[in-house]
Amino acid sequence: MSAFLSYLLNGLAVGCAIALIASGLVTIHRVTGVVNFAQGTFAVVAGLCTSSLLGLGFPHGLSELAAVLAAAVAGLLTGLAAIGKRGTTPLASLIVTLGVGVLAYAVEIVLWGDQPRSAPGLAGSVTVAGAHIQTQHLLVIGVTAATFVLLALFFGRTYLGKALTACASNPYAARVVGIDVRRMGLLAFALGGLLGGIAGVLVTPLRPISFDTDVTLIVNGFAAAVFGALTRPVIALFGALLLGVAETMAAGYGYGSHQLEVALGLMIIVMIVQAGRRSAISEETV
């Protein structure tokens, strides 16, 4: 029972990191209609920056903050490349984000090499009902919870947040009232980079980061985002937690080499069930 609880708590921490990636995808897609396949790159950039800054002797806190800001800048630059030119279609922008991800591989290899890097996090562990959980996992869960609360306050209480929500709900009406939809799209990309950066600095102490780690991150993040129909961050959060727990359970009970397949298979089943319920509801309302 203690092993099960340990896998569950660790899975929740993994799911929280996935949720941050997914929330960045949802934020960008809601405002711009673009699926940003460079989202995992932002986490990798932040993780590698954190490792380098700590290695140079910079203190914790400052290193992570600088790394997250670097990821936000990377998000903004990706937005400029993807939607900077007016009239660019969402499909063309999607292809641009794929190109940015490939370009990032080359840049990361030049700057950091092709070997995985890690960074020290919070040491120690705590015992919960007989189950041991790393302190870093608790930090991931706490920071993710705080981030989602701050996002809710940002979108619900601030002018910029309400402007982003307006662009997501009805971009044409947003233009009529004077909101620059393109500028809001760039802000969404920067915010997506920020969220990806937070995921990166939290995950790097738990698992080594290399230039190609973004593949696993974007696959998991996209699956969770699709669970929320790429529009509902809270539903994407639940999907990410489900993914994280499924992967950790699969690894813990001897299926480590197939944990991604197990998790994605579970997500497909859930989405099929969801689609069936929507069809039933639609038929009832006709």
Side-chain angles (χ1 to χ4, degrees), residues 11 37 67:
F37 280 111

Side-chain angles (χ1 to χ4, degrees), residues 84-205:
K85 183 179 179 181
R86 296 187 184 277
T88 305
T89 64
L91 178 59
S93 297
L94 181 152
I95 295 172
V96 169
T97 65
L98 286 171
V100 169
V102 174
L103 176 62
Y105 277 15
V107 175
E108 289 158 2
I109 290 174
V110 169
L111 294 178
W112 289 286
D114 59 355
Q115 297 303 308
R117 287 174 171 247
S118 189
L122 292 180
S125 62
V126 297
T127 303
V128 180
H132 297 283
I133 179 171
Q134 296 181 40
T135 308
Q136 183 68 24
H137 281 148
L138 294 178
L139 178 65
V140 173
I141 294 172
V143 171
T144 302
T147 299
F148 271 82
V149 170
L150 290 174
L151 281 175
L153 293 174
F154 172 73
F155 283 110
R157 300 290 182 85
T158 67
Y159 171 78
L160 281 178
K162 291 178 180 179
L164 284 169
T165 302
C167 293
S169 300
N170 193 327
Y172 301 105
R175 289 191 184 96
V176 170
V177 299
I179 297 175
D180 190 330
V181 176
R182 175 174 166 273
R183 184 174 297 176
M184 290 298 105
L186 294 176
L187 177 61
F189 267 94
L191 183 57
L194 186 76
L195 293 168
I198 295 172
V201 300
L202 291 173
V203 167
T204 303

Side-chain angles (χ1 to χ4, degrees), residues 46-75:
L48 294 174
C49 284
T50 301
S51 176
S52 295
L53 291 173
L54 290 174
L56 292 172
F58 287 90
H60 277 290
L62 180 61
S63 297
E64 284 83 357
L65 177 61
V68 171
L69 291 177
V73 172

